[in-house]
Amino acid sequence: MSQDPEDVAVLPPPRRPGATSADVARLAGVSRSTVSHILNGQVTRFAEETVGRVRDAAARLGYVPSAAGRSLVLGRSDLVVLAVPNTTLTNVQDIIEAIAADLDDLGYSVVVHFDRGGGAAANLARLQHVVDTLRPAGIVDLGSLSLRDLDTLEEQGCPILSPRPRHVRGVDEGNLAIARTQAEHLIDRGYTALAYAFLVDHRDDPFGRMRAAVVADVCAEAGLPAPTAISVPLDAAGAQTALCDLLRARGRPVGIACSNDEVGLAVSFAALALRAAVPGDVGVIGVGGGSVGQLVAPRLSTITFDVRASVGTIRRGVAAARGGVAEDDDPTLSPEIFLVLQGETT
Amino acid sequence: MSQDPEDVAVLPPPRRPGATSADVARLAGVSRSTVSHILNGQVTRFAEETVGRVRDAAARLGYVPSAAGRSLVLGRSDLVVLAVPNTTLTNVQDIIEAIAADLDDLGYSVVVHFDRGGGAAANLARLQHVVDTLRPAGIVDLGSLSLRDLDTLEEQGCPILSPRPRHVRGVDEGNLAIARTQAEHLIDRGYTALAYAFLVDHRDDPFGRMRAAVVADVCAEAGLPAPTAISVPLDAAGAQTALCDLLRARGRPVGIACSNDEVGLAVSFAALALRAAVPGDVGVIGVGGGSVGQLVAPRLSTITFDVRASVGTIRRGVAAARGGVAEDDDPTLSPEIFLVLQGETT
DNA sequence: CGTGACCGTTGACACGTGTCACCGCGCTCC
DNA sequence: GGAGCGCGGTGACACGTGTCAACGGTCACG
C-alpha cells in the first residue's frame, strides 16, 4: 500500500494472476463501477471513448470476472447441473457433450451429477445439497428425477431447463417413457405376446423392475396378456438358454423389450443361433442407440435420446429462465419429443 | 432490521432459503467466527457443549455453506474440471461417473470440459477461460492435454490431479499411449505386419493420424515395416472390401490396430466373412472397452482405461494437493498404469 | 436568471465466507 | 498479590462482484 498506484498501472501483469475489475479500472482511469457496467453491456450510457478504453484495458490484462464474486452478489452461479440417470444409455456421452457444448456457448459450465445406489431419496438429497451449495443457474434432467422432485427444486428457485417428461400413466419417472416407447413399438409391429429382458447380474437396479412394470401397463391397456420377465446373461450360451426357455413358455412370435442394447444384441444373436427369424419369430428392441447395434445384421431397433431436440429444448429453457427468447429458436423442435427410434429392423 | 432478533431465532425457517452461517450463529447464541471454526473442524479449541449447540443449530436450519462465499475467500472453488478428449472411448461415461462419484465423496463437484473442433490451441484457450473463471481445486485430464498444457496450467496454480501420461516417444499427447499399447500388443502376439484402421467418414480427427504415427514409430523401433493405413466404413460390405484390399496388399498374417471398438468389430466380422482366422490370419485390437465387443465370439481385444486405478490415482492427487495423504491409499495402484487390456482374444 | 432534465460517471453497500489477531477470565506459580 | 498462561470465544478484515442512489456539469426551456 506504500507503493505508488501509478507503478501498478505502469506494470500491468499481462497474464500472471487473475486481474480484478479494480485493476482494469485503474488501468483505464475510471471507477470500478464503470468497468462493471461497461463489461456487462451497459454500453449506451457511456461515452464511446470510455467504452473503448475499458475494453482495451480488460483485454490487455486478460481480465476474466471471478465466478465466485459474481455468484455471491447475484445469488446464483453460472453453473448448470446435469442430472444423469443410472441407466445404460450408450450415447449418454454424446448427450452430455452436446449439452455441455451448447451451454458453453451460452457462458455456462456444466456440473455433472450422477445417480448412485442408495435409492431415489438419497439421490435427491445429494442433488439438493449440490443445489444449495452451488446455487446453479438451472438443472437439466436426463430422466433421473420424478415430477415431484422437479417441482420441489423449481420451488426453491432453481429453474428446470429440460422439458417435463412425457407423462406416463401410473408412474412419474421421466425415463420410464423409454419402456412405454419400447412396448408400443413392439405392439405396433404386430407382436401380441411381450417379454421384458433384464440384464442378469447387473448392479442393483430398481429401474429395470419399474420399466418392466410400465411394459406390463401398456400390455394391459392394449388388452394383451402380461409380459414375461427373463434374465439374460451376456454370453452366447446363456442367452440362448434364456431365450429358449422363453420361446418354450410363450411360443412364437414374441416381442422382447430389453433393458439395454447389449441385452438386445445378446437376444438377437441367440435367436439367430436358434434359427428363429428376427424380426418375425422374435422382435427385439434395446435401449441406448449404440453404434454397434447398427453395425450388425439385422440392425438392432433401439431407443435413444434425440440429442438435437434435447439441446434445442434446453437452449429454450435457458432463454426462458433468463427472461428472453432464444435467438435461434427452432420452433420445429417439440419439447415433448425426446426419445427417438433407431434402426427399426428387429 | 426493526425486528427483534429473538423473533428470528424463535422462527427458524426450517428449509426455506439458504440459511447463512450468521443465522446459525444467532440460533446457537455464538459469534459467526465460532460457527465457522467449529463447522470447519476446529473442534478441540471449543467447549464440547458449544460444539453441540452449533452443530445442532446448523442441522436444524439445514445450513449449507455457500460455495461462492467459500471460493471468494479461499481463492479456489470446490470444483474439479474434468477434461475429456474428443475420442470414442465407449466407457467414457463409466469413467466420468466413477470419478464424479469419488470426488463427490471428497466434497468436490465435477465440471466437464469436452474437447471440441477448432484445434488444440482453441481448446486450451477455452479450458484456460474456465480455469480463470472458476478457480477449480484441480484438473483431471483424461488425455485431452499435452504435457506442456499440463505444465502451463499447473504453473497457474491449478493442480493436475490425474497422473502425467506415460511418456510416449516423439509425442507428448497422453492419449497416444493408447496407440503404443495397441501396437505393442499386436507385436507381442507375433504379428510382424501391422495396419492402422481409421473410421471412415468420422468427424475431422487429427487424433487418428497421430495414433497411426505412433504405431509407425513402434514398428520402426521393432524393426518392422511401416504399417498400412486403411479406412473402414461401418457396414458389413464396405468393411469386407477394405479388409480384402489390405490382405491382398500385405498378405497374412496382419495385425490391425483400430481407432475404436466399432471399427474393430467391423474388421473382425469382415475377417470371419472372408474365412480368415481371427486371431491368426488377422489380429484385431480396438479401443474403448465396450461390452458388446466382449459379447461376440471371439471376444474383441480392446484397450480401455482402468477405472479403478485412475480413480485411486486421482484420489491420491487430491490428497497431495490438499497437503495430506489419502486415508485409504492403495499403494498397489501404480500412477503409471492407466490403460488396460480386455479380452485378449483377437 | 432560475429550474428542471439529461448525460456520464461514481461512491457505497451487500453478498457469505475463512482466518488472523486479540480479548477476558480463571487458574497457577513464584 | 502480581505476572504468566491456557482456555474459550470474538471483532474485524478481505475476497471480487453487481447495482442503487447520487453526484456535478451542461443545456434547454420557461
Side-chain angles (χ1 to χ4, degrees), chain B residues 231-308:
Chain B
S231 287
V232 178
L234 281 192
D235 62 274
Q240 284 177 35
T241 305
L243 182 60
C244 208
D245 291 347
L246 173 67
L247 293 180
R248 193 169 304 136
R250 296 299 295 264
R252 307 178 181 188
V254 60
I256 309 177
C258 303
S259 64
N260 64 24
D261 271 7
E262 281 76 38
V263 172
L265 284 171
V267 168
S268 191
F269 291 164
L272 293 174
L274 293 173
R275 308 277 177 221
V278 180
D281 292 333
V282 174
V284 182
I285 183 164
V287 177
S291 53
V292 181
Q294 309 308 305
L295 172 62
V296 298
R299 304 212 320 269
L300 179 70
S301 297
T302 187
I303 292 181
T304 183
F305 279 103
D306 183 340
V307 175
R308 182 164 158 274

Side-chain angles (χ1 to χ4, degrees), chain B residues 30-31 33-34 37 46-47 50 72-73:
Chain B
V30 296
S31 81
S33 319
T34 305
H37 278 131
F46 290 88
T50 308
L72 196 51
V73 65

Side-chain angles (χ1 to χ4, degrees), chain B residues 17-338:
Chain B
T20 75
S21 68
D23 298 329
V24 177
R26 217 170 303 142
L27 180 58
V30 296
S31 81
R32 214 183 46 71
S33 319
T34 305
V35 171
S36 180
H37 278 131
I38 290 180
L39 262 33
N40 286 39
Q42 305 278 4
V43 186
T44 60
R45 314 195 337 170
F46 290 88
E48 204 167 327
E49 190 252 345
T50 308
V51 173
R53 264 212 327 277
V54 167
R55 287 188 170 154
D56 186 52
R60 190 190 309 261
L61 292 178
Y63 167 68
V64 175
S66 149
R70 279 179 54 85
S71 311
L72 196 51
V73 65
L74 294 181
R76 104 182 56 98
S77 65
D78 289 330
L79 301 172
V80 170
V81 172
L82 184 65
V84 185
N86 185 12
T87 181
T88 47
L89 234 53
T90 312
N91 65 340
V92 152
Q93 182 192 355
D94 292 337
I95 298 171
I96 297 178
E97 193 167 338
I99 291 173
D102 197 58
L103 289 174
D104 190 48
D105 290 339
L106 265 37
Y108 296 94
S109 294
V110 172
V111 174
V112 291
H113 179 91
F114 290 92
D115 268 5
R116 293 164 66 178
N123 282 320
L124 180 60
R126 290 194 312 117
L127 180 58
Q128 184 73 253
H129 182 88
V130 170
V131 168
D132 286 343
T133 304
L134 259 32
R135 305 265 163 155
I139 296 180
V140 172
D141 174 38
L142 255 32
S144 154
L145 271 27
S146 72
L147 282 174
R148 195 176 49 230
D149 295 346
L150 293 173
D151 288 338
T152 303
L153 290 166
E154 194 143 47
E155 262 174 29
Q156 290 170 20
C158 190
I160 307 297
L161 271 22
S162 45
R164 285 292 194 281
R166 187 158 51 156
H167 187 66
V168 178
R169 239 172 60 96
V171 291
D172 61 355
E173 295 270 352
N175 50 19
L176 293 184
I178 290 173
R180 168 163 286 260
T181 308
Q182 284 184 307
E184 287 173 350
H185 169 75
L186 291 169
I187 293 173
D188 281 351
R189 304 269 295 190
Y191 294 96
T192 53
L194 262 49
Y196 191 88
F198 291 96
L199 174 55
V200 72
D201 155 57
H202 199 256
R203 46 191 164 185
D204 248 7
D205 185 24
F207 217 71
R209 298 182 178 280
M210 298 177 71
R211 288 239 197 99
V214 171
V215 172
D217 282 352
V218 176
C219 285
E221 286 173 28
L224 301 181
T228 310
I230 62 174
S231 287
V232 178
L234 281 192
D235 62 274
Q240 284 177 35
T241 305
L243 182 60
C244 208
D245 291 347
L246 173 67
L247 293 180
R248 193 169 304 136
R250 296 299 295 264
R252 307 178 181 188
V254 60
I256 309 177
C258 303
S259 64
N260 64 24
D261 271 7
E262 281 76 38
V263 172
L265 284 171
V267 168
S268 191
F269 291 164
L272 293 174
L274 293 173
R275 308 277 177 221
V278 180
D281 292 333
V282 174
V284 182
I285 183 164
V287 177
S291 53
V292 181
Q294 309 308 305
L295 172 62
V296 298
R299 304 212 320 269
L300 179 70
S301 297
T302 187
I303 292 181
T304 183
F305 279 103
D306 183 340
V307 175
R308 182 164 158 274
S310 67
V311 166
T313 306
I314 288 162
R315 177 179 283 263
R316 195 180 302 172
V318 172
R322 276 179 171 172
V325 171
E327 319 82 48
D328 53 349
D329 193 7
D330 184 348
T332 65
L333 298 179
S334 157
E336 290 292 336
I337 301 174
F338 241 67

Side-chain angles (χ1 to χ4, degrees), chain A residues 120-333:
Chain A
N123 282 319
L124 179 60
R126 289 195 312 117
L127 180 58
Q128 183 73 252
H129 182 87
V130 170
V131 169
D132 286 343
T133 304
L134 260 31
R135 304 265 162 159
I139 296 179
V140 172
D141 174 38
L142 255 32
S144 154
L145 271 28
S146 71
L147 283 174
R148 195 177 47 228
D149 295 346
L150 293 174
D151 288 338
T152 304
L153 290 166
E154 193 143 48
E155 263 174 31
Q156 291 170 19
C158 190
I160 307 297
L161 272 21
S162 45
R164 286 293 197 280
R166 188 157 53 157
H167 187 66
V168 178
R169 238 174 63 95
V171 291
D172 60 356
E173 297 270 352
N175 49 20
L176 293 184
I178 290 173
R180 168 164 287 261
T181 308
Q182 284 183 308
E184 288 173 350
H185 169 75
L186 291 169
I187 293 173
D188 281 352
R189 305 268 295 189
Y191 295 96
T192 53
L194 263 50
Y196 190 88
F198 291 95
L199 174 55
V200 74
D201 156 56
H202 199 258
R203 47 191 163 184
D204 249 6
D205 183 25
F207 218 69
R209 297 183 179 280
M210 298 177 70
R211 288 241 197 98
V214 171
V215 171
D217 282 352
V218 176
C219 285
E221 286 173 28
L224 302 181
T228 311
I230 63 174
S231 288
V232 178
L234 281 193
D235 63 276
Q240 283 177 36
T241 304
L243 182 60
C244 207
D245 291 347
L246 173 68
L247 292 179
R248 191 168 304 136
R250 295 297 297 263
R252 307 178 183 189
V254 60
I256 309 177
C258 303
S259 64
N260 64 25
D261 271 8
E262 281 77 38
V263 173
L265 285 171
V267 169
S268 191
F269 291 164
L272 294 174
L274 293 174
R275 309 275 177 224
V278 181
D281 293 334
V282 174
V284 182
I285 184 164
V287 177
S291 55
V292 180
Q294 308 308 305
L295 173 61
V296 298
R299 303 213 320 271
L300 180 69
S301 296
T302 186
I303 292 181
T304 183
F305 278 102
D306 182 341
V307 176
R308 181 163 158 274
S310 67
V311 166
T313 306
I314 288 161
R315 177 180 283 262
R316 195 179 303 172
V318 172
R322 276 179 171 172
V325 172
E327 319 82 50
D328 53 350
D329 193 7
D330 183 349
T332 65
L333 298 178

Side-chain angles (χ1 to χ4, degrees), chain A residues 25-59:
Chain A
R26 216 171 302 143
L27 180 58
V30 295
S31 81
R32 214 181 48 70
S33 317
T34 304
V35 172
S36 179
H37 279 134
I38 290 181
L39 263 33
N40 285 35
Q42 306 278 5
V43 185
T44 61
R45 315 194 334 173
F46 289 89
E48 205 168 326
E49 189 252 344
T50 308
V51 172
R53 267 214 324 278
V54 167
R55 286 188 171 153
D56 185 54

